[in-house]
Amino acid sequence: MGLFNRRTAENTAAAVAVLDVDPALAALTGDYVIDAAHSRIGFTVRHAMVTNVRGAFEDHEGTLHLDGADPARSTASIDVRIASVDTGIADRDAHLRSADFFDAEAFPLMTFRSTEAAFLGGDTYRITGDLTIKDVTRPLSVNLEFNGSATDPYGNQRVGFEGSADILRSDWGLTWNAALETGGVVVSDKVKLTFDISAIKQA
């Protein structure tokens, strides 16, 4: 079920888009805090040209503002603690924290600040913003699917979204690599970021 249904009306100047808010979901408008215990910010990267390595950042926090009447006014802000990276192998995680990659000691946070939001139809939305890794800030767009809303056993109003985006890590200065004897490199430049978000509405 989509958050919004679109219809068209005319005024004296031109045809303009008008949003009909689904009455059953209009109450979702408001401010939300991301529930890190039930959310995941992950990544997938090709290793040695033949397999995928998956990981996640275990320590993150963020806020959402959802506007049911005007999706363009919705916003998102997320802070991710780099030192919390977890791929299941301690030595690899330590390498990712090092200056070869994220340099977590000098740049402890990866941040995302939205600059634009749009309703794409159905249950799909696009959030665009500034992703900062180390000292590099570049735009990132993520298509998100709205998974629905529910009141949990503790009386919290929750919403859920999931989505992904492909980036080139070199665009953010993450360029470390090593050549393979058989050709190619140890770590691909392309990285898939994945987002599974559960957020709780604030009173």
Side-chain angles (χ1 to χ4, degrees):
M1 178 168 55
L3 278 171
F4 313 101
N5 299 311
R6 186 179 296 273
R7 63 182 172 84
T8 301
E10 291 186 0
N11 62 13
T12 55
V16 296
V18 178
L19 291 172
D20 264 343
V21 181
D22 185 331
L25 298 174
L28 295 182
T29 295
D31 296 315
Y32 292 76
V33 170
I34 292 175
D35 178 9
H38 296 94
S39 299
R40 188 176 191 272
I41 297 177
F43 59 88
T44 302
V45 62
R46 186 62 61 90
H47 176 259
M49 309 294 291
V50 297
T51 191
N52 289 321
V53 168
R54 293 176 174 83
F57 296 95
E58 302 296 336
D59 187 357
H60 54 85
E61 60 185 15
T63 59
L64 308 175
H65 175 75
L66 304 183
D67 191 319
D70 185 359
R73 298 180 64 181
S74 298
T75 61
S77 176
I78 301 174
D79 292 339
V80 175
R81 191 160 297 279
I82 294 297
S84 71
V85 66
D86 182 6
T87 64
I89 297 179
D91 287 347
R92 181 165 58 205
D93 296 342
H95 192 196
L96 289 172
R97 297 183 190 108
S98 76
D100 281 348
F101 285 95
F102 289 107
D103 197 357
E105 184 174 347
F107 305 98
L109 291 180
M110 174 171 60
T111 65
F112 177 81
R113 301 291 183 266
S114 68
T115 57
E116 183 181 352
F119 171 55
L120 302 183
D123 292 326
T124 306
Y125 303 82
R126 177 175 294 148
I127 189 80
T128 299
D130 294 325
L131 176 65
T132 300
I133 303 174
K134 298 175 76 170
D135 56 352
V136 178
T137 300
R138 294 180 60 87
L140 173 70
S141 292
V142 183
N143 285 357
L144 295 168
E145 181 179 353
F146 174 62
N147 286 338
S149 65
T151 301
D152 68 21
Y154 304 99
N156 298 310
Q157 180 71 49
R158 290 179 177 269
V159 294
F161 294 90
E162 64 177 315
S164 64
D166 292 333
I167 67 170
L168 298 179
R169 60 188 178 90
S170 59
D171 286 344
W172 280 267
L174 303 177
T175 57
W176 182 91
N177 229 321
L180 299 170
E181 290 185 3
T182 53
V185 292
V186 171
V187 185
S188 67
D189 192 18
K190 181 180 176 180
V191 179
K192 177 182 285 294
L193 301 177
T194 56
F195 305 87
D196 288 287
I197 301 298
S198 177
I200 298 173
K201 190 174 185 180
Q202 301 302 286

